[in-house]
Amino acid sequence: MKVWAVANQKGGVGKTTTSIALAGLLADAGKRVLIVDLDPHGSMTSYFRHDPDSIEHSTYDLFLHGGQVPEGLPARLLLETGHERLSLLPSSTALATLERQSPGQSGLGLVISKSLAQLWGQFDHAIIDSPPLLGVLMVNALAASQQLVIPVQTEFLAVKGLERMVNTLAMINRSRRQPLAYHIVPTLFDRRTQASLSTLRLLQSNYPEHLWQAYVPIDTRLRDASRAGVTPSRHDANSRGVIAYRALLKHLLMQQTAAQVA
């Protein structure tokens, strides 16, 4: 199973949309895909018409066993998404309490890794939607992943958030046996605005080795897909946003293959 995390320490950059768009395209291609919602806001869970405020069981349950994951628990938490090859490990607002609980517990940083190990044979890909906060949930997402996707809205404040994310990744990589590869993805790009154009140039100048050399444009069809509760590619396979995400997916798959060969 290939495991990717989608993360940024700034919200509102297209993180959940990126996770769902990539997952939907993989599922359309016949892959068995798991999406993992680790954000207490539960945007991914809400996208597929599950309520993170009232859901009975969620990824929060995985963290209630002292760093261990009871056999069979992850499989019992899986929910349907309406796409026959796409399954969801949902979030709940209870996840927000983990940061207060975690200082008194050890071993919580590998809970998601242990959970995915139980599901390894059931899925070809897993994509983890991480919260915009450095804490036990983001640490879990990064520890479990083989590649990191960092969506960055093409505006100045998002670039400042990217700097924090890259610093966090450098810290995390010091404790990993193999550094986590990361790919910066410009999102919400609007070529009509000077802010988008100048931010894209700044990203190209400052992060040439890790920047995907294209961008995801502003596309109302992505918002329409969210409103309909279906993956963007099933809502409109030829929209500008889906075409961009299809190119991004091809790039990520090629990068992972190259890394494995190396």
Side-chain angles (χ1 to χ4, degrees), residues 140-247:
N140 265 268
L142 299 183
S145 299
Q146 301 150 2
Q147 284 199 110
L148 171 64
V149 177
I150 309 177
V152 180
Q153 182 182 0
T154 47
E155 57 94 22
F156 179 71
L157 290 179
V159 174
K160 299 303 291 184
L162 172 62
E163 292 174 5
R164 292 192 295 273
M165 188 68 222
V166 171
N167 290 337
T168 293
L169 184 58
M171 178 184 69
I172 295 290
N173 276 341
R174 286 196 287 270
S175 63
R176 288 177 60 106
R177 280 178 291 183
Q178 183 173 350
L180 180 60
Y182 68 95
H183 310 278
I184 299 165
V185 177
T187 60
L188 298 166
F189 179 79
D190 186 347
R191 64 169 57 254
R192 299 168 299 179
T193 68
Q194 187 58 42
S196 275
L197 292 169
S198 60
T199 302
L200 185 60
R201 287 194 293 268
L202 184 63
L203 291 172
Q204 291 168 340
S205 173
N206 291 355
Y207 301 96
E209 294 182 7
H210 297 280
L211 181 70
W212 177 48
Q213 295 299 317
Y215 54 80
V216 178
I218 286 180
D219 185 355
T220 58
R221 300 299 282 166
L222 296 174
R223 192 182 309 120
D224 294 343
S226 174
R227 190 178 300 114
V230 297
T231 62
S233 52
R234 283 210 162 170
H235 184 71
D236 185 349
N238 296 312
S239 68
R240 292 183 303 147
V242 170
I243 290 170
Y245 278 119
R246 193 175 287 120

Side-chain angles (χ1 to χ4, degrees), residues 6-188:
V6 180
N8 194 323
Q9 286 176 243
K10 185 184 184 304
V13 298
K15 184 169 54 64
T16 298
T17 298
T18 297
S19 301
I20 294 171
L22 292 173
L25 287 165
L26 285 164
D28 292 345
K31 303 299 183 182
R32 301 165 300 166
V33 185
L34 172 66
I35 45 178
V36 183
D37 193 351
L38 286 186
D39 191 337
H41 292 107
S43 296
M44 176 184 280
T45 300
S46 297
Y47 190 108
F48 292 108
R49 303 302 185 260
H50 303 287
D51 184 2
D53 291 320
S54 61
I55 197 167
E56 187 174 357
H57 297 289
S58 71
T59 46
Y60 177 69
D61 296 35
L62 301 171
F63 291 88
L64 301 180
H65 307 279
Q68 302 304 310
V69 180
E71 189 66 34
L73 177 59
R76 293 195 296 272
L77 298 177
L78 296 177
L79 295 178
E80 295 181 352
T81 64
H83 194 304
E84 63 277 8
R85 288 182 293 274
L86 186 60
S87 298
L88 169 69
L89 267 176
S91 171
S92 69
T93 51
L95 279 172
T97 67
L98 273 181
E99 300 305 329
R100 296 197 299 270
Q101 300 172 21
S102 58
Q105 301 186 53
S106 60
L108 291 186
L110 297 177
V111 166
I112 296 302
S113 295
K114 294 174 182 177
S115 300
L116 293 181
Q118 292 192 25
L119 299 170
W120 208 261
Q122 297 181 42
F123 296 97
D124 302 301
H125 292 261
I127 296 180
I128 306 171
D129 190 12
S130 175
L133 173 71
L134 176 58
V136 66
L137 293 169
M138 183 180 286
V139 167
N140 265 268
L142 299 183
S145 299
Q146 301 150 2
Q147 284 199 110
L148 171 64
V149 177
I150 309 177
V152 180
Q153 182 182 0
T154 47
E155 57 94 22
F156 179 71
L157 290 179
V159 174
K160 299 303 291 184
L162 172 62
E163 292 174 5
R164 292 192 295 273
M165 188 68 222
V166 171
N167 290 337
T168 293
L169 184 58
M171 178 184 69
I172 295 290
N173 276 341
R174 286 196 287 270
S175 63
R176 288 177 60 106
R177 280 178 291 183
Q178 183 173 350
L180 180 60
Y182 68 95
H183 310 278
I184 299 165
V185 177
T187 60
L188 298 166

